[in-house]
Amino acid sequence: MTVPLPLSAEPCPEAWPYLDQAVLQPSRSRQVCLTCHWFRHHAAASCIPLLTCRLHHGLIAHGEHLTRRCQGWTDDMVRRKGWAPEGA
C-alpha cells in the first residue's frame, strides 16, 4: 500500500530546469504539451504561473506548451477514460 506524500514532500517545480529543444519538438497537431497527461501548471511564490512537465521534471517556457511536444506525449486520462471511470 502506498502512502500519499504530504504537499511539502512533493518536488518543488521552481527548482526544475527548463526543457530545451532536444526534448521539445515542434508539433502542428493537437499533440502538444497543453493536451498531454503529464502537463501541469503551478503558481510560483510570486504568483507567476509555472508550466511543468511531470514526466521530465522540467519547466516549459511560456508559449512552448502550445506549439511543442516531447516523445513521451500521452493523451490525458480524463479524455481517454472519463472523469471518474471507477464510478461508472
Side-chain angles (χ1 to χ4, degrees):
M1 179 176 165
T2 60
V3 178
L5 296 173
L7 292 177
S8 60
E10 288 190 16
C12 178
E14 292 181 33
W16 291 352
Y18 277 91
L19 299 177
D20 59 5
Q21 303 297 326
V23 176
L24 296 177
Q25 304 167 353
S27 176
R28 295 183 64 184
S29 68
R30 77 169 197 89
Q31 294 181 347
V32 293
C33 294
L34 181 67
T35 61
C36 182
H37 173 72
W38 301 107
F39 176 79
R40 298 288 185 276
H41 62 277
H42 304 275
S46 57
C47 295
I48 296 173
L50 295 175
L51 309 175
T52 62
C53 174
R54 295 184 61 124
L55 178 64
H56 295 289
H57 294 278
L59 297 172
I60 303 168
H62 288 272
E64 299 284 305
H65 67 297
L66 301 172
T67 60
R68 298 191 175 269
R69 72 179 191 102
C70 73
Q71 289 292 339
W73 184 90
T74 306
D75 201 9
D76 192 4
M77 296 301 175
V78 172
R79 285 188 201 93
R80 194 183 301 170
K81 298 201 180 226
W83 184 70
E86 66 278 357

